[in-house]
């Protein structure tokens, strides 16, 4: 199906382990984003990418690493998971710069991550 | 102080009521405004997208932006139980790309 998908949908891991969350979109959107959603904080941007091999930090990047070797994929890695990274993670995408819908972001279904 | 403020609710209304959801913001550079609907355990879904000031209508939904007051609203007419969800406002400046979200308002429409 076309759209934006995330995997896994649920993940439980232990403190100190490395975890990678996957995001895949089929729209050929240039921009991709990773957010985390926590009670009391709402949605906060972790990292974003304007194109393949171009990434930049958002509001809460510490402890996370991203890469974007292909336009359609934008994995998020927690290098050494901590309990404070327990959250729901959403990937989003939007079309290329200059388009009329640039600022419309479309979200995936989310990954619910628990760090024990 | 966060750049975008939104009352978390919860807001409970009877079916058929008119619902008003609001956000205030502090950054006068914001020009693009969005409303997202998020059902429990789902990703946010884009509902409305407006540029600058004015109104935009889509079916039962009307988005309103008042840049002079730094205030945006989403009105839902003839509310339905299926409208029960969390509504998130979001906004950005030109070339900002990253959206600034409110914390969301939880809405419950009772039959």
């Amino acid at each position: 199906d076309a759209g934006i998908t995330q995997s896994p949908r649920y993940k439980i891991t232990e403190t100190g382990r490395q975890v990678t969350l996957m995001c895949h979109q089929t729209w050929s959107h240039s921009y991709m984003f990773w957010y985390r959603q926590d009670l009391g904080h709402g949605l906060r941007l972790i990292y974003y990418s304007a194109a393949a091999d171009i990434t930049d930090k958002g509001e809460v990047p510490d402890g996370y690493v991203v890469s974007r070797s292909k336009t359609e994929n934008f994995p998020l890695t927690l290098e050494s998971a901590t309990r404070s990274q327990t959250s729901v993670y959403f990937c989003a995408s939007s079309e290329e710069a200059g388009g009329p819908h640039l600022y419309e972001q479309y979200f995936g279904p989310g990954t619910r991550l628990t760090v024990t | 102080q966060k750049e975008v403020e939104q009352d978390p609710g919860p807001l409970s209304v009877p079916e058929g009521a008119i619902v008003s959801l609001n956000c205030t913001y502090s950054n006068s550079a914001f020009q693009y405004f969005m409303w997202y609907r998020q059902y429990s355990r789902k990703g946010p879904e884009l509902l409305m997208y407006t540029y600058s000031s004015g109104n935009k209508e889509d079916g039962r939904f009307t988005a309103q932006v008042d840049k002079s007051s730094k205030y945006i609203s989403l009105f839902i007419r003839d509310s339905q139980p299926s409208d029960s969800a969390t509504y998130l406002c979001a906004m950005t400046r030109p070339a900002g790309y990253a959206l600034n979200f409110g914390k969301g308002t939880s809405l419950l429409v009772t039959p």
Side-chain angles (χ1 to χ4, degrees):
Chain A
D1 285 343
I4 186 165
T5 57
Q6 294 183 235
S7 62
R9 294 294 314 279
Y10 301 89
K11 177 75 176 178
I12 299 174
T13 192
E14 295 177 342
T15 301
R17 292 204 180 248
Q18 183 179 83
V19 177
T20 296
L21 310 183
M22 304 301 293
C23 178
H24 176 78
Q25 53 103 355
T26 60
W27 291 308
S28 299
H29 282 173
S30 294
Y31 287 85
M32 296 187 74
F33 308 83
W34 273 106
Y35 292 88
R36 60 179 290 174
Q37 188 174 38
D38 305 286
L39 275 174
H41 289 282
L43 278 159
R44 293 181 291 174
L45 182 67
I46 304 171
Y47 269 95
Y48 70 98
S49 169
D53 298 322
I54 300 175
T55 62
D56 208 349
K57 295 178 180 179
E59 182 184 353
V60 288
D62 293 344
Y64 303 95
V65 174
V66 293
S67 62
R68 194 162 175 212
S69 57
K70 291 184 175 181
T71 300
E72 60 267 30
N73 297 324
F74 191 37
L76 175 74
T77 297
L78 287 67
E79 293 188 297
S80 178
T82 65
R83 289 195 182 89
S84 65
Q85 292 176 310
T86 292
S87 186
V88 182
Y89 291 85
F90 289 102
C91 180
S93 70
S94 63
E95 69 173 48
E96 63 190 272
H101 304 288
L102 168 62
Y103 302 108
E104 299 176 16
Q105 292 187 17
Y106 296 89
F107 284 76
T111 294
R112 193 169 291 267
L113 176 68
T114 301
V115 182
T116 61
Chain B
Q1 181 191 5
K2 279 187 71 77
E3 287 188 298
V4 182
E5 298 285 351
Q6 185 176 10
D7 188 333
L11 181 62
S12 182
V13 301
E15 184 176 354
I18 296 175
V19 176
S20 172
L21 304 165
N22 311 294
C23 287
T24 59
Y25 62 95
S26 58
N27 190 339
S28 58
F30 291 151
Q31 291 192 31
Y32 298 89
F33 304 92
M34 281 139 276
W35 285 95
Y36 284 83
R37 177 175 63 196
Q38 185 175 23
Y39 291 114
S40 180
R41 295 187 171 259
K42 301 287 187 184
E45 168 195 11
L46 181 63
L47 265 182
M48 301 285 286
Y49 169 71
T50 54
Y51 167 67
S52 198
S53 287
N55 291 0
K56 184 174 182 179
E57 190 172 317
D58 184 1
R60 296 184 295 110
F61 299 89
T62 300
Q64 195 171 78
V65 175
D66 182 350
K67 291 190 69 182
S68 62
S69 302
K70 298 192 181 67
Y71 189 87
I72 69 170
S73 301
L74 178 70
F75 298 96
I76 307 175
R77 291 185 299 280
D78 188 24
S79 55
Q80 302 295 309
S82 58
D83 294 328
S84 298
T86 296
Y87 290 81
L88 304 158
C89 64
M91 53 198 76
T92 189
R93 55 182 174 81
Y97 307 129
L99 294 179
N100 296 270
F101 281 89
K103 292 182 181 179
T105 299
S106 176
L107 172 67
L108 177 65
V109 181
T110 56

